[in-house]
Amino acid sequence: MKVFKSTTLLAMGLSAIMLFTGCSSTSERPSENNSKADETKPKVVNLYTDRHYDSDDKLYSAFTEETGIKINVVKGKSDELIERLKTEGADTEADLLITADVGRLHRAKVSSLLQPVDSQVLKTNIPENLRDKENYWFGLTKRARVIVYAKDRVKPSELSTYEDLANPKWKGKILVRGADSVYNQSLLASFIETMGEENAKKWASGIVANMARAPKGGDRDQAKAIAAGEGDIAIMNTYYFGHMLNSSDPEEKKAAEKLAIFFPDQNGTGTHINVSGAGVVKSAKNKENTVKLLEFLASEKAQKSFAEANYEYPVLKSVDSSDLLKSWGSFKEQPISLSKLGELNEKAVKILNEVGWK
C-alpha cells in the first residue's frame, strides 16, 4: 500500500508536470510554428499571364532581385487561362492573372476568380477609371484603338470620328477583325456607354455595310491588307502598329511604313482606350507577395519599361511615353470608367450578332 501511494504520488507529480508543460506548449507552440512556417515558406508568386514579352521577363527578374521573391510564370491565351482557373478552382497554384483587355478581366471577376486588393500604392499610381471600382483588377498599360489608313489613298482631313466610318462614302474600304475579338466588343461597349444602345447598333451596322471583306485575322492582318490594297482604313490597336514598325520581318515593317495613325473623336468623346491588367486570384496562397508584385508593376521603373519596350502607354502619369508614341502626338482619351466595358460586354456581343458582324 505504501508502495502504491508513492507510485501514485509520483504519477500524479509527473502528470502535473506534463500538464503544465502541455499547457505551456499549447500557448506558445502555434506562434512558434507560424513563425517557422513563415520562415520556411517559399517566397514565390505563381503567375498566369497571356503576355509573352522578353521585356516582361526582365521585369520579373528585376522584381526577384529586389525582393527575393521568385515568379513562376505560366503563359497562355487569356481565355484559356481563365478556363483553367475555373477548372482548378480553389486548388489552383495561381496567385496572379494578367490579361489583355478589360473585358477579360471583368469575366474573371464575375466568375469569382479574383479577390479585391486594398493597396494605397495601386490607388495612387493607377487612375480611377483604369481600375475596377471594387479593386478586383488594375490596369497596368494602355492601348488606344485607332484608325490606321493608307497614306497614298486617304487624307487625314477626310477622317474625323468612329461614327463617320459608318458613312456610305467608306463602302468597301473598311478592314477590321471579327466579332469574337474582345477588342471590338469593348470598343462597341464604349459606344453603348457614350452614344446609347440604338446609336451603337447603327454604327456597327454601318461598319458591316462598309467592310472591304469578311473579317479575318488579327489587327496586324488588317494593316497588311491595307498595304496590299484590299481596303483603305483599318481599326487597330496602337500597340500592334508600333510592333509592325519595329518588326524583324522586313515585309511587315514595309507594310506598316505605308500607313499612318489617326486618333478619332478628338472634338468629341475622345479615342477609345483599353488596358492590359491584372487581378489577384481568389484563392491565392501567396497574396502578400502577389500584391508586392502588382505594386512593382505599377511603379515608375516598371511603367518606363512597359512604355519603352512594348509600345504601350504607361498608366502612371509621371512616366512619359516612348519616342515613337510621342511622334504620333498626344490625344484626348475616352474618359469613361473601363469597368463599364466589362459590364456592357454582353450587350455589345448581342449587337454584333444582330448586325451580322462575322
Side-chain angles (χ1 to χ4, degrees):
M1 191 67 178
K2 194 173 181 178
V3 173
F4 172 77
K5 277 185 177 176
S6 297
T7 304
T8 301
L9 287 171
L10 178 60
M12 290 173 66
L14 286 172
S15 296
I17 291 169
M18 288 175 70
L19 181 61
F20 175 78
T21 304
C23 287
S24 175
S25 296
T26 300
S27 63
E28 293 177 9
R29 216 170 261 166
S31 61
E32 287 176 0
N33 288 343
N34 288 342
S35 177
K36 287 177 181 176
D38 289 343
E39 289 173 6
T40 57
K41 188 176 181 180
K43 295 179 71 175
V44 300
V45 172
N46 296 313
L47 169 63
Y48 282 9
T49 178
D50 78 345
R51 292 175 61 93
H52 45 81
Y53 314 115
D54 293 342
S55 53
D56 283 19
D57 293 337
K58 289 177 182 175
L59 276 176
Y60 303 150
S61 296
F63 174 74
T64 299
E65 190 173 333
E66 281 187 17
T67 64
I69 299 170
K70 182 183 177 184
I71 304 176
N72 299 317
V73 182
V74 173
K75 296 181 181 178
K77 298 286 186 184
S78 291
D79 294 335
E80 294 170 0
L81 293 174
I82 289 172
E83 287 305 311
R84 179 169 173 172
L85 283 174
K86 288 179 182 177
T87 302
E88 293 174 340
D91 294 329
T92 185
E93 292 296 323
D95 297 307
L96 185 67
L97 173 69
I98 296 181
T99 75
D101 199 285
V102 70
R104 294 186 176 111
L105 291 166
H106 180 76
R107 286 176 202 165
K109 176 188 172 183
V110 298
S111 299
S112 298
L113 300 177
L114 305 179
Q115 62 174 296
V117 170
D118 184 15
S119 162
Q120 193 55 50
V121 172
L122 296 176
K123 289 177 182 174
T124 300
N125 289 11
I126 302 173
E128 189 173 2
N129 68 314
L130 303 182
R131 49 184 160 86
D132 178 57
K133 57 188 177 185
E134 296 176 313
N135 298 315
Y136 277 80
W137 53 259
F138 300 86
L140 297 174
T141 66
K142 290 187 295 185
R143 297 108 179 265
R145 195 147 183 80
V146 297
I147 295 172
V148 171
Y149 62 94
K151 289 191 284 190
D152 62 344
R153 301 193 294 278
V154 178
K155 296 176 182 175
S157 59
E158 296 179 88
L159 301 170
S160 56
T161 64
Y162 294 106
E163 203 167 359
D164 183 62
L165 297 181
N167 189 309
K169 71 181 180 183
W170 298 115
K171 190 170 182 62
K173 299 182 184 298
I174 306 292
L175 291 151
V176 64
R177 62 200 298 175
D180 60 343
S181 162
V182 72
Y183 303 143
N184 287 339
Q185 294 167 9
S186 289
L187 178 65
L188 186 58
S190 76
F191 295 158
I192 295 172
E193 175 67 10
T194 57
M195 63 174 74
E197 196 168 337
E198 279 306 309
N199 287 328
K201 186 174 181 178
K202 286 180 185 174
W203 177 82
S205 180
I207 293 297
V208 171
N210 287 344
M211 286 180 181
R213 65 179 186 185
K216 62 179 180 179
D219 278 9
R220 297 185 206 213
D221 296 308
Q222 314 312 317
K224 291 174 187 174
I226 297 178
E230 289 189 64
D232 290 346
I233 289 172
I235 301 172
M236 69 181 291
N237 287 349
T238 45
Y239 146 84
Y240 290 111
F241 194 60
H243 272 279
M244 288 185 72
L245 286 171
N246 292 276
S247 176
S248 58
D249 178 347
E251 290 303 314
E252 191 167 81
K253 186 174 181 179
K254 187 178 175 183
E257 288 172 348
K258 295 179 180 178
L259 315 178
I261 275 182
F262 184 86
F263 293 100
D265 288 85
Q266 293 306 285
N267 294 320
T269 54
T271 296
H272 174 71
I273 57 164
N274 209 312
V275 294
S276 178
V280 176
V281 174
K282 185 177 182 180
S283 55
K285 296 164 184 67
N286 304 288
K287 182 176 179 180
E288 186 177 343
N289 296 341
T290 305
V291 174
K292 284 180 182 175
L293 174 58
L294 254 182
E295 291 175 342
F296 174 80
L297 295 175
S299 69
E300 185 171 326
K301 181 176 184 176
Q303 289 290 305
K304 280 183 177 176
S305 175
F306 285 137
E308 292 169 2
N310 208 33
Y311 316 112
E312 297 172 285
Y313 292 94
V315 297
L316 184 59
K317 290 183 177 178
S318 60
V319 173
D320 283 339
S321 301
S322 68
D323 289 341
L324 175 63
L325 270 58
K326 283 182 186 174
S327 73
W328 297 340
S330 58
F331 65 97
K332 176 182 174 182
E333 301 177 5
Q334 268 183 346
I336 63 176
S337 168
L338 296 194
S339 290
K340 279 290 178 184
L341 306 186
E343 293 168 13
L344 294 169
N345 179 270
E346 191 174 338
K347 283 186 178 179
V349 171
K350 182 172 179 284
I351 288 174
L352 290 168
N353 288 332
E354 287 175 349
V355 302
W357 191 316
K358 303 295 184 185

